[in-house]
Amino acid sequence: MGEHNTTVLAGLARKTGGNSVDRYTVDEHRPGGDRRVHVVAHSVHETARSHAVGDAGVHLVRGLSIDIGVASEPPRGQVPALGDRIAEALTPPRQYRAISDPETLNLLYWHGPPAPRIAWMADNTAEVPILHPDDMPTALDTASALRVTGPGRTVDLTLRFLTLDGGYEPFDLTASLIDLDSGHSALLVVLTVK
């Protein structure tokens, strides 16, 4: 949904950008073309009572994304941002870019089309997490190290993700920290799908 919207949602997830979001935006890269959507989200804190987290509090973002129709064509002469054009030109076939929260590893959005086969829209539960449980410590340690070193460092990893058939498949990826305009940071994760 664009870097600006991602920054707002990342701030909401960390409770640094207010307690709610209500905005109209464009959901890009949909199979049938770009769609105009109305997004309403609210940050909540709930007490979880499960074997996975005990009685600890859980920070959640709950919301709706309402499809309100085809996005209008951009005015003549308007071209994508230079950064988007550069990223597209530098993206080899079978590579997919995701932007994730560096603290929680939650996917914020795909820059370009989403990676095929990964069940990225599935509910992330303790019983069926999107990232294989045995890979989570490595992923969290890597994100923590990248937050310490800051932008400019890239780490290569192989992590197992939940696939559409319900199993886990290893994917090669690189991760690096990027600064956002708001003073927050995000993880740029580049997955290679063979």
Side-chain angles (χ1 to χ4, degrees), residues 44-63:
V44 296
H45 188 81
E46 295 182 358
T47 301
R49 300 202 185 282
S50 74
H51 67 282
V53 294
D55 289 335
V58 177
H59 184 75
L60 302 169
V61 175
R62 297 189 186 272

Side-chain angles (χ1 to χ4, degrees), residues 2-167:
E3 184 174 323
H4 178 69
N5 290 307
T6 302
T7 301
V8 170
L9 292 174
L12 179 64
R14 290 191 197 103
K15 289 189 112 171
T16 58
N19 288 332
S20 62
V21 170
D22 184 346
R23 65 177 46 213
Y24 291 86
T25 188
V26 174
D27 185 4
E28 300 175 353
H29 311 293
R30 298 276 297 270
D34 295 349
R35 305 290 293 183
R36 186 146 170 77
V37 293
H38 182 189
V39 176
V40 179
H42 186 73
S43 173
V44 296
H45 188 81
E46 295 182 358
T47 301
R49 300 202 185 282
S50 74
H51 67 282
V53 294
D55 289 335
V58 177
H59 184 75
L60 302 169
V61 175
R62 297 189 186 272
L64 297 171
S65 174
I66 302 164
D67 186 327
I68 54 177
V70 176
S72 60
E73 292 293 320
R76 286 185 177 253
Q78 183 176 343
V79 295
L82 178 60
D84 290 338
R85 289 183 282 154
I86 292 170
E88 185 177 331
L90 295 175
T91 303
R94 299 185 320 276
Q95 275 195 356
Y96 301 88
R97 287 174 162 70
I99 306 297
S100 297
D101 184 314
E103 294 176 18
T104 64
L105 303 183
N106 289 338
L107 174 73
L108 299 174
Y109 80 103
W110 290 97
H111 187 272
R117 298 200 312 269
I118 296 176
W120 59 273
M121 292 182 71
D123 290 334
N124 190 3
T125 65
E127 292 80 24
V128 186
I130 294 172
L131 186 61
H132 193 286
D134 293 344
D135 292 348
M136 184 59 87
T138 300
L140 287 170
D141 289 346
T142 300
S144 179
L146 287 171
R147 285 197 319 268
V148 170
T149 60
R153 179 174 172 225
T154 300
V155 177
D156 295 320
L157 293 166
T158 300
L159 299 174
R160 292 167 287 179
F161 289 91
L162 182 66
T163 56
L164 296 173
D165 63 5

